[in-house]
Amino acid sequence: MGNLISRQDPRKVIDNRLEVFGESLQCEEQYYEDGNLLAEKVFNTLKQHSHYFLDSYQFAGSFGKETDVIDPDLDLVVLVNKCRPPLKGVLNEFEKILRANEDYLQICPGSYKKSIRCLKFAFRNGISVDLLPAPNLSYDEKENVLALMRNNDELAHLYNPSFVEDQIAFMEDQDNFTHTLIRLSKFWLKSLNLGQSFSGGSAMMELIAVAAAQELEKDGERSVSRSFIKVLDMVIKLKTLKIAFKLDNDGEWRRVSPADLNCRNKSWLVPTIIGKYKTLKKRNFIVDPANPFQNFLEGKCNGVLKKLKKFAVKTRSVFCQILEGNGQCGSAEFIQELFEPMVENLSNEDAVSLPTSILVSYEVPCTSVYNDVKVWNEEIMKDPKVSRAVELLKKNLHTVVHSTVKGNEDMFCESNEVQNRVSQLLESKLEIPLESTSYVENHDSYSGYDAMVRIPYVIDDEVFAVYVSLKWESSCFLSQLLKFLLLFALWYKLREPHVIYIDSVLVRFGERLKCPEKYYDDGKQMAEKVFETLVQHSTYSLDSFHFGGSFGKKTDVIEPDLDLVVLINNCHPPLNNVLHHFEQILRSNEDPLQIFRGVYKQTDRALQFSFRNGISVDLLPAANIQDDERNAIFQTMVDYDRYSYYYNPSFVENQIAFLKCQDSFTHTLIRLLKFWLGCLHLGEKFRGGSAIMELLAVAAITKERLCEEKSISRAIRRVLDMVRNLDSLKLAFYRVNNDDDEDEKWERVQPKHLNYYYSTILVPTVVGKVDILLRESFIIDPANPLQDFLEGKSESVIETLKEYATTTRSYLDMISSGSEKYSLVNFIYDFFYPMPEDLTEDCSLLLPDDFLLSYKPCSSVYNKLKIWNHNDIMDNKDALRAVKVLKKNLITVVHSIVKENPARISMDHVKVAVEKLIEDNLQVNLCNAPRRYNRNRQNEIEWYDVMVRVPIPYAIDGEESAVCLFLRWD
């Protein structure tokens, strides 16, 4: 046998062994027989006792599609006539019927769990069931339902089980090779610990495997190893992966090419292949061929996708080494290596509670082929950390046992190999020394244990089983509780000085984020000159000018844009002609106004330019609304959404007044939050983000006022919690005093009142129109009730923002709790460190090919961007975006490291912080790249395309200086 293997092509050996292993992952025949028998009994019992008209039942999921892996859940779809979702009444009735017939149906008492469309339970032999009642739809009814789904995302989820026959038909169309690849892919997914549930993961892997198999078949290079690597490659690119299928004229399903999914004319795709244009605009999607409104990547958080990518990269690396002959390619060990459970050491996992003792035993012969968890101590399993530990151990044992046995079947696996692998798993994941794990010949010694996991396996037609009994000492629980209470008391006693210190650092830093006085003075002086010049030369009747944005509201951070709102009499939007007119005037007066030549950009309502000292300006002409015009203009804004956007600058005085009535504590909180937002790279523009942070801060302060003492760190937590729920957040404010009162007072509307039932009270003064109240989330501008700052925000940006808020919240919790893992030294620098650290993975950024980092004397307070633009590189939007992100990150790091404690900062501190940022962002090692980092190469600066200069905000050792970053693209 060994000589035969040595003479074969190693790749063919690997392909053969993978194919055999993939086929062996199918359920045992007994599972199929028992599953069919039990399902039929359940359906007949339901039909006999139900008041609903039950038509038939179908196996869905991997069992129905015959893509099962070892012992899957039994997805049992019961088609109900003359019924529409949600089927809450049907689920309640089904549960009552099953509970009344548990003995006859052999159902485990107390194993029921109900969701919005599913009833979960388990048979006593270990088979788990998902019972899904679904409307029985005719062909015409399906067409009508698909039409309804276009306007209601929830219906796509609720009606999905009704498409079970189409889902099965799609998989029946795939060949045996693809089914084998699907099983391998799903077994790999089972070996991963993603830290949370991954709904639809199995179906997602099925479609990825089909896409991979079809792509390689088209290229004529289809093999199991190449196809599996292709699957891993697709998982690695999951953040930008787009998969959809269409039915060809020959009746076969084929993947829609990525080129077709990105072409301009996409009308042929919607709605038969992809349900909505909204889905096509997403960065990634995997669409169910049976239900074009079902996107399996919808709602998946970036944290899970990142873990999947990390695990896929690791598996791919291992597999490539095996294929190159560096692994155990000729033996079964490569199967074990390839499907090694990927889970961090469980002893370091906060979400699990490890057992205090464990007993491992083996049984032969075993009478059952089903995995099982037996619980003797029901109370202890109510602890979610305990039940999670049991589930993780069961999953890992399942993977290890079956990769050992089924990956080794034709090489005569012995039971002691399984025992060795199990002991290795338990030792590495639980950190239980080998001598404290007991092995017995039979399983009669479980007395006193709380739960037991059983994993059966077959060797030479003989059924064995590994039993792992787990015990949590009750005294241990009491001691843990006592320990927790003591620690809580100690923490409560010590928290105040600890939190007070953190609060003092944050408040002090927030106050230092204000613009330099010179920026205020220069900005006001130059704005006045611009307005005087416009009045002098304009043919329009200009009334006055106001500072809008953060500069006008006094919530500025370091160096904001100058929003200059010019109110015009007898003029209404759109004001394109006014913008063009203003630009001509400014171009004719660039020298006296000190404006950069030729650097103008016109948008729908603003003219953007820069002064030569570095201050950027948004010049916004706006209608000066008179009292007798207000009602008519407001009605126009209600009727036409676009006019709400156009008229918004006209409300500048109200916007300023709302923030002006907030206290200095709120203003400090706002600056901290806007600085935090500035340290994030969201992948695309987030218009109105600054205003969103302002309103979230005010909302947080309304709750903070109820506490005995205000805490800035607690207020930040409140805001971060709101950001984490941004896709369901509803926020609006109302004025609590009369318009005649000199001092305005505003309060947040209670979220429970922000719905249709209160529309007569809220509309139009608080929320502009009823349509807004029907949205899932909104943040209303107090000055303009028709302005919803969340409108039009993409799901990807919201999800990324939620992920960053979770990360920051976790860090703040740890640092506030006094955890020894985190130091208060450089707390501000760590707290506001730019995210993500690595920019090389963002395909929307064209990062430089070379750079020069230097430190120069500088007396200016202005950040500067100088463009030599030898190769017109700044015409490339991706390169310009990269420059802006690097500039923003550089400003964040310099100001956070210096302003936290200016008195103790040296130039070396700044250099270390800046150089770490460059290494993280560009993924370079400055120590190994002297050509890219040389303070003595000042004579070469004109060789670069762009320079970013960030002045260090305080003189260090009596010298004023700046960080200069020169960038070049090949």
Side-chain angles (χ1 to χ4, degrees), residues 104-119:
Y104 170 69
L105 297 173
Q106 293 292 292
I107 293 174
C108 289
S111 64
Y112 303 93
K113 186 178 179 183
K114 199 159 44 182
S115 67
I116 190 170
R117 69 174 192 180
C118 174
L119 176 64

Side-chain angles (χ1 to χ4, degrees), residues 826 829 853 855 893-894 897-898 901-917 926 933 935 952 954-957 959 961-963:
N826 293 336
Y829 167 76
L853 186 61
Y855 305 89
V893 164
V894 169
I897 195 68
V898 173
N901 194 345
R904 68 172 179 81
I905 288 296
S906 67
M907 198 62 193
D908 286 338
H909 288 111
V910 177
K911 290 176 182 178
V912 168
V914 168
E915 289 161 21
K916 181 184 184 303
L917 174 75
L926 293 178
Y933 176 61
R935 298 184 182 86
I952 298 171
Y954 296 98
I956 297 178
D957 298 331
E959 293 185 5
S961 53
V963 179

Side-chain angles (χ1 to χ4, degrees), residues 86-99:
L87 303 181
K88 186 176 179 181
V90 181
L91 286 168
N92 289 338
E93 188 198 62
F94 281 8
E95 184 178 354
K96 286 181 183 178
I97 295 171
L98 296 183
R99 284 184 181 276

Side-chain angles (χ1 to χ4, degrees), residues 37 52 75 78 84 86 210 218 225 242 314 361 423 482 524 597 639 649 653 667 694 697 700 713 750 753 756 824 936:
L37 180 64
Y52 294 92
D75 291 345
V78 175
R84 294 290 177 267
V210 172
K218 185 174 64 177
S225 56
K242 296 181 179 182
K314 184 177 178 180
S361 62
S423 65
L482 182 61
K524 289 177 181 178
R597 294 182 183 278
D639 295 338
E653 294 178 78
H667 280 236
E694 290 170 349
S713 59
Q750 290 293 323
H753 295 152
Y756 178 79
L824 286 173
N936 300 320

Side-chain angles (χ1 to χ4, degrees), residues 406-462:
K406 292 182 180 291
N408 210 7
E409 280 185 335
D410 60 347
M411 291 195 173
F412 313 110
C413 174
E414 295 184 3
S415 188
N416 62 347
E417 292 180 44
V418 176
Q419 295 178 23
N420 290 336
R421 290 270 286 153
V422 167
S423 65
Q424 289 171 13
L425 171 75
L426 296 176
E427 191 171 30
S428 62
K429 303 306 177 189
L430 295 182
E431 289 190 333
I432 295 176
L434 200 58
E435 58 268 21
S436 69
T437 305
S438 304
Y439 295 89
V440 295
E441 293 180 358
N442 57 63
H443 202 74
D444 297 329
S445 305
Y446 57 74
S447 177
Y449 285 83
D450 299 310
M452 178 270 292
V453 176
R454 180 186 67 203
I455 307 292
Y457 54 96
V458 180
I459 298 177
D460 294 337
D461 297 325
E462 194 167 19

Side-chain angles (χ1 to χ4, degrees), residues 16-29 68-71 179-180 183-184 187 335 402-410 458:
N16 180 60
R17 296 201 59 75
L18 276 175
E19 190 168 351
V20 170
F21 177 65
E23 291 172 355
S24 73
L25 291 173
Q26 294 181 62
C27 298
E28 300 289 339
E29 282 300 321
D68 46 274
V69 174
I70 302 172
D71 54 344
H179 278 244
T180 299
R183 289 193 178 91
L184 290 169
F187 188 73
I335 296 285
H402 288 285
S403 63
T404 304
V405 175
K406 292 182 180 291
N408 210 7
E409 280 185 335
D410 60 347
V458 180

